[in-house]
mmCIF file of all heavy atoms in Angstrom:
data_model
loop_
_atom_site.group_PDB
_atom_site.id
_atom_site.type_symbol
_atom_site.label_atom_id
_atom_site.label_comp_id
_atom_site.label_asym_id
_atom_site.label_seq_id
_atom_site.Cartn_x
_atom_site.Cartn_y
_atom_site.Cartn_z
ATOM 1 N N THR B 1423 57.647 114.945 8.087
ATOM 2 C CA THR B 1423 57.105 116.291 8.239
ATOM 3 C C THR B 1423 56.233 116.362 9.489
ATOM 4 O O THR B 1423 55.373 115.519 9.687
ATOM 5 C CB THR B 1423 56.250 116.656 7.008
ATOM 6 O OG1 THR B 1423 57.052 116.524 5.847
ATOM 7 C CG2 THR B 1423 55.763 118.088 7.086
ATOM 8 N N THR B 1436 31.823 101.349 15.831
ATOM 9 C CA THR B 1436 30.940 100.185 15.764
ATOM 10 C C THR B 1436 29.779 100.488 14.821
ATOM 11 O O THR B 1436 29.384 101.623 14.636
ATOM 12 C CB THR B 1436 30.351 99.836 17.145
ATOM 13 O OG1 THR B 1436 29.728 101.026 17.659
ATOM 14 C CG2 THR B 1436 31.407 99.362 18.105
ATOM 15 N N LEU B 1437 29.290 99.425 14.204
ATOM 16 C CA LEU B 1437 28.061 99.501 13.417
ATOM 17 C C LEU B 1437 27.046 98.646 14.147
ATOM 18 O O LEU B 1437 27.162 97.426 14.145
ATOM 19 C CB LEU B 1437 28.282 98.948 12.008
ATOM 20 C CG LEU B 1437 28.525 99.931 10.870
ATOM 21 C CD1 LEU B 1437 28.717 99.207 9.564
ATOM 22 C CD2 LEU B 1437 27.414 100.953 10.776
ATOM 23 N N GLY B 1438 26.064 99.285 14.787
ATOM 24 C CA GLY B 1438 25.185 98.514 15.657
ATOM 25 C C GLY B 1438 26.008 98.001 16.819
ATOM 26 O O GLY B 1438 26.650 98.776 17.516
ATOM 27 N N VAL B 1450 48.664 110.076 6.995
ATOM 28 C CA VAL B 1450 48.992 110.425 5.611
ATOM 29 C C VAL B 1450 49.729 111.751 5.629
ATOM 30 O O VAL B 1450 49.224 112.741 6.161
ATOM 31 C CB VAL B 1450 47.721 110.539 4.734
ATOM 32 C CG1 VAL B 1450 48.098 110.902 3.301
ATOM 33 C CG2 VAL B 1450 46.921 109.249 4.770
ATOM 34 N N HIS B 1451 50.946 111.747 5.082
ATOM 35 C CA HIS B 1451 51.758 112.961 5.073
ATOM 36 C C HIS B 1451 51.541 113.730 3.787
ATOM 37 O O HIS B 1451 51.035 113.191 2.813
ATOM 38 C CB HIS B 1451 53.241 112.602 5.242
ATOM 39 C CG HIS B 1451 53.521 111.915 6.535
ATOM 40 N ND1 HIS B 1451 53.673 112.609 7.702
ATOM 41 C CD2 HIS B 1451 53.632 110.597 6.834
ATOM 42 C CE1 HIS B 1451 53.882 111.743 8.690
ATOM 43 N NE2 HIS B 1451 53.859 110.517 8.188
ATOM 44 N N GLY B 1453 51.744 115.217 0.328
ATOM 45 C CA GLY B 1453 52.304 114.722 -0.918
ATOM 46 C C GLY B 1453 52.280 113.219 -1.080
ATOM 47 O O GLY B 1453 52.680 112.703 -2.123
ATOM 48 N N PRO B 1478 30.796 108.386 13.316
ATOM 49 C CA PRO B 1478 31.324 108.808 14.613
ATOM 50 C C PRO B 1478 32.219 107.727 15.221
ATOM 51 O O PRO B 1478 31.909 106.542 15.142
ATOM 52 C CB PRO B 1478 30.051 109.010 15.452
ATOM 53 C CG PRO B 1478 29.004 108.177 14.801
ATOM 54 C CD PRO B 1478 29.357 108.071 13.352
ATOM 55 N N LEU B 1479 33.347 108.169 15.790
ATOM 56 C CA LEU B 1479 34.251 107.212 16.446
ATOM 57 C C LEU B 1479 33.781 106.974 17.884
ATOM 58 O O LEU B 1479 33.261 107.872 18.526
ATOM 59 C CB LEU B 1479 35.673 107.761 16.455
ATOM 60 C CG LEU B 1479 36.385 107.850 15.118
ATOM 61 C CD1 LEU B 1479 37.794 108.388 15.316
ATOM 62 C CD2 LEU B 1479 36.437 106.496 14.428
ATOM 63 N N LEU B 1491 39.369 116.924 14.427
ATOM 64 C CA LEU B 1491 38.259 116.906 13.477
ATOM 65 C C LEU B 1491 37.104 117.797 13.912
ATOM 66 O O LEU B 1491 36.488 118.489 13.117
ATOM 67 C CB LEU B 1491 37.781 115.459 13.294
ATOM 68 C CG LEU B 1491 36.692 115.241 12.250
ATOM 69 C CD1 LEU B 1491 37.168 115.667 10.872
ATOM 70 C CD2 LEU B 1491 36.277 113.778 12.220
ATOM 71 N N ARG B 1499 39.873 122.553 1.836
ATOM 72 C CA ARG B 1499 41.174 121.867 1.669
ATOM 73 C C ARG B 1499 41.004 120.376 1.450
ATOM 74 O O ARG B 1499 41.958 119.677 1.153
ATOM 75 C CB ARG B 1499 42.033 122.107 2.928
ATOM 76 C CG ARG B 1499 42.294 123.573 3.193
ATOM 77 C CD ARG B 1499 43.048 123.768 4.504
ATOM 78 N NE ARG B 1499 44.477 123.492 4.356
ATOM 79 C CZ ARG B 1499 45.352 123.646 5.343
ATOM 80 N NH1 ARG B 1499 44.946 124.072 6.520
ATOM 81 N NH2 ARG B 1499 46.629 123.364 5.141
ATOM 82 N N GLN B 1505 31.645 106.834 -2.058
ATOM 83 C CA GLN B 1505 31.431 105.604 -2.817
ATOM 84 C C GLN B 1505 30.025 105.647 -3.399
ATOM 85 O O GLN B 1505 29.037 105.586 -2.687
ATOM 86 C CB GLN B 1505 31.580 104.404 -1.889
ATOM 87 C CG GLN B 1505 31.529 103.091 -2.620
ATOM 88 C CD GLN B 1505 31.729 101.914 -1.680
ATOM 89 O OE1 GLN B 1505 31.934 102.093 -0.493
ATOM 90 N NE2 GLN B 1505 31.659 100.723 -2.223
ATOM 91 N N ALA B 1510 23.820 110.860 -10.164
ATOM 92 C CA ALA B 1510 22.496 111.418 -10.426
ATOM 93 C C ALA B 1510 21.654 111.453 -9.165
ATOM 94 O O ALA B 1510 21.819 110.642 -8.261
ATOM 95 C CB ALA B 1510 21.800 110.598 -11.508
ATOM 96 N N LEU B 1548 39.717 118.535 -16.443
ATOM 97 C CA LEU B 1548 40.682 117.575 -15.902
ATOM 98 C C LEU B 1548 40.222 116.127 -16.084
ATOM 99 O O LEU B 1548 41.035 115.232 -16.246
ATOM 100 C CB LEU B 1548 40.905 117.847 -14.410
ATOM 101 C CG LEU B 1548 41.959 118.895 -14.075
ATOM 102 C CD1 LEU B 1548 41.890 119.237 -12.593
ATOM 103 C CD2 LEU B 1548 43.344 118.392 -14.441
ATOM 104 N N LEU B 1571 32.113 112.643 -10.257
ATOM 105 C CA LEU B 1571 32.260 112.732 -8.797
ATOM 106 C C LEU B 1571 33.650 113.248 -8.426
ATOM 107 O O LEU B 1571 33.813 114.008 -7.465
ATOM 108 C CB LEU B 1571 32.017 111.365 -8.157
ATOM 109 C CG LEU B 1571 30.591 110.810 -8.274
ATOM 110 C CD1 LEU B 1571 30.514 109.400 -7.716
ATOM 111 C CD2 LEU B 1571 29.597 111.713 -7.578
ATOM 112 N N ILE B 1572 34.654 112.836 -9.198
ATOM 113 C CA ILE B 1572 36.017 113.298 -8.917
ATOM 114 C C ILE B 1572 36.161 114.772 -9.300
ATOM 115 O O ILE B 1572 36.743 115.561 -8.551
ATOM 116 C CB ILE B 1572 37.041 112.403 -9.629
ATOM 117 C CG1 ILE B 1572 37.063 111.042 -8.929
ATOM 118 C CG2 ILE B 1572 38.423 113.034 -9.632
ATOM 119 C CD1 ILE B 1572 37.835 109.978 -9.635
ATOM 120 N N LEU B 1576 37.334 118.004 -7.131
ATOM 121 C CA LEU B 1576 38.446 118.862 -7.551
ATOM 122 C C LEU B 1576 38.022 120.320 -7.723
ATOM 123 O O LEU B 1576 38.862 121.212 -7.727
ATOM 124 C CB LEU B 1576 39.023 118.352 -8.886
ATOM 125 C CG LEU B 1576 39.721 116.989 -8.844
ATOM 126 C CD1 LEU B 1576 40.148 116.579 -10.243
ATOM 127 C CD2 LEU B 1576 40.931 117.048 -7.919
ATOM 128 N N VAL B 1582 43.967 117.862 -0.261
ATOM 129 C CA VAL B 1582 43.974 116.411 -0.086
ATOM 130 C C VAL B 1582 42.706 115.844 -0.724
ATOM 131 O O VAL B 1582 41.624 116.419 -0.634
ATOM 132 C CB VAL B 1582 44.065 116.011 1.414
ATOM 133 C CG1 VAL B 1582 42.929 116.602 2.222
ATOM 134 C CG2 VAL B 1582 44.076 114.488 1.573
ATOM 135 N N GLU B 1587 36.677 103.983 -3.023
ATOM 136 C CA GLU B 1587 36.470 103.070 -4.161
ATOM 137 C C GLU B 1587 36.172 103.806 -5.466
ATOM 138 O O GLU B 1587 35.131 103.585 -6.093
ATOM 139 C CB GLU B 1587 35.316 102.092 -3.858
ATOM 140 C CG GLU B 1587 35.574 101.254 -2.624
ATOM 141 C CD GLU B 1587 35.776 99.777 -2.947
ATOM 142 O OE1 GLU B 1587 36.008 99.457 -4.138
ATOM 143 O OE2 GLU B 1587 35.707 98.965 -2.019
ATOM 144 N N PRO B 1588 37.084 104.684 -5.888
ATOM 145 C CA PRO B 1588 36.789 105.436 -7.115
ATOM 146 C C PRO B 1588 36.791 104.558 -8.368
ATOM 147 O O PRO B 1588 36.322 104.996 -9.411
ATOM 148 C CB PRO B 1588 37.921 106.467 -7.178
ATOM 149 C CG PRO B 1588 39.031 105.852 -6.416
ATOM 150 C CD PRO B 1588 38.394 105.035 -5.331
ATOM 151 N N THR B 1603 44.305 111.660 -14.412
ATOM 152 C CA THR B 1603 43.846 112.815 -13.624
ATOM 153 C C THR B 1603 44.550 112.844 -12.280
ATOM 154 O O THR B 1603 45.061 113.866 -11.829
ATOM 155 C CB THR B 1603 42.324 112.726 -13.373
ATOM 156 O OG1 THR B 1603 41.659 112.598 -14.620
ATOM 157 C CG2 THR B 1603 41.811 113.955 -12.659
ATOM 158 N N LEU B 1615 44.323 109.994 -0.235
ATOM 159 C CA LEU B 1615 44.012 108.779 0.508
ATOM 160 C C LEU B 1615 42.853 108.120 -0.222
ATOM 161 O O LEU B 1615 41.809 108.726 -0.416
ATOM 162 C CB LEU B 1615 43.601 109.104 1.947
ATOM 163 C CG LEU B 1615 43.035 107.932 2.765
ATOM 164 C CD1 LEU B 1615 44.088 106.854 2.995
ATOM 165 C CD2 LEU B 1615 42.482 108.411 4.103
ATOM 166 N N LEU B 1618 40.709 101.208 -2.027
ATOM 167 C CA LEU B 1618 40.691 100.431 -3.268
ATOM 168 C C LEU B 1618 40.401 98.976 -2.947
ATOM 169 O O LEU B 1618 40.734 98.477 -1.874
ATOM 170 C CB LEU B 1618 42.043 100.519 -3.977
ATOM 171 C CG LEU B 1618 42.403 101.838 -4.648
ATOM 172 C CD1 LEU B 1618 43.817 101.739 -5.204
ATOM 173 C CD2 LEU B 1618 41.421 102.179 -5.755
ATOM 174 N N GLY B 1622 45.221 97.709 -9.228
ATOM 175 C CA GLY B 1622 44.843 97.895 -10.631
ATOM 176 C C GLY B 1622 45.641 98.982 -11.323
ATOM 177 O O GLY B 1622 46.858 99.100 -11.148
ATOM 178 N N VAL B 1633 46.767 97.888 4.756
ATOM 179 C CA VAL B 1633 45.811 96.802 4.576
ATOM 180 C C VAL B 1633 45.065 96.586 5.881
ATOM 181 O O VAL B 1633 45.675 96.409 6.931
ATOM 182 C CB VAL B 1633 46.521 95.500 4.131
ATOM 183 C CG1 VAL B 1633 45.488 94.392 3.932
ATOM 184 C CG2 VAL B 1633 47.300 95.729 2.854
ATOM 185 N N VAL B 1639 44.815 97.172 11.430
ATOM 186 C CA VAL B 1639 45.824 97.350 10.388
ATOM 187 C C VAL B 1639 46.719 96.123 10.337
ATOM 188 O O VAL B 1639 47.314 95.735 11.347
ATOM 189 C CB VAL B 1639 46.657 98.618 10.641
ATOM 190 C CG1 VAL B 1639 47.774 98.735 9.618
ATOM 191 C CG2 VAL B 1639 45.771 99.846 10.615
ATOM 192 N N GLY B 1643 52.928 99.850 4.642
ATOM 193 C CA GLY B 1643 54.226 99.950 3.996
ATOM 194 C C GLY B 1643 54.069 100.015 2.497
ATOM 195 O O GLY B 1643 53.033 100.444 2.007
ATOM 196 N N ASP B 1658 46.331 83.832 5.526
ATOM 197 C CA ASP B 1658 47.141 84.054 6.724
ATOM 198 C C ASP B 1658 48.608 84.218 6.372
ATOM 199 O O ASP B 1658 49.379 83.271 6.345
ATOM 200 C CB ASP B 1658 46.959 82.891 7.713
ATOM 201 C CG ASP B 1658 45.739 83.140 8.573
ATOM 202 O OD1 ASP B 1658 45.429 84.317 8.806
ATOM 203 O OD2 ASP B 1658 45.090 82.165 8.974
ATOM 204 N N SER B 1666 56.405 99.343 11.875
ATOM 205 C CA SER B 1666 55.806 100.654 12.103
ATOM 206 C C SER B 1666 56.202 101.674 11.031
ATOM 207 O O SER B 1666 55.414 102.501 10.619
ATOM 208 C CB SER B 1666 56.218 101.156 13.477
ATOM 209 O OG SER B 1666 57.618 101.079 13.584
#
Side-chain angles (χ1 to χ4, degrees):
Chain B
T1423 303
T1436 54
L1437 261 180
V1450 180
H1451 299 279
L1479 291 181
L1491 185 61
R1499 301 175 79 177
Q1505 187 178 358
L1548 274 170
L1571 294 175
I1572 289 170
L1576 293 176
V1582 57
E1587 301 248 16
T1603 305
L1615 171 65
L1618 288 176
V1633 181
V1639 175
D1658 275 330
S1666 52

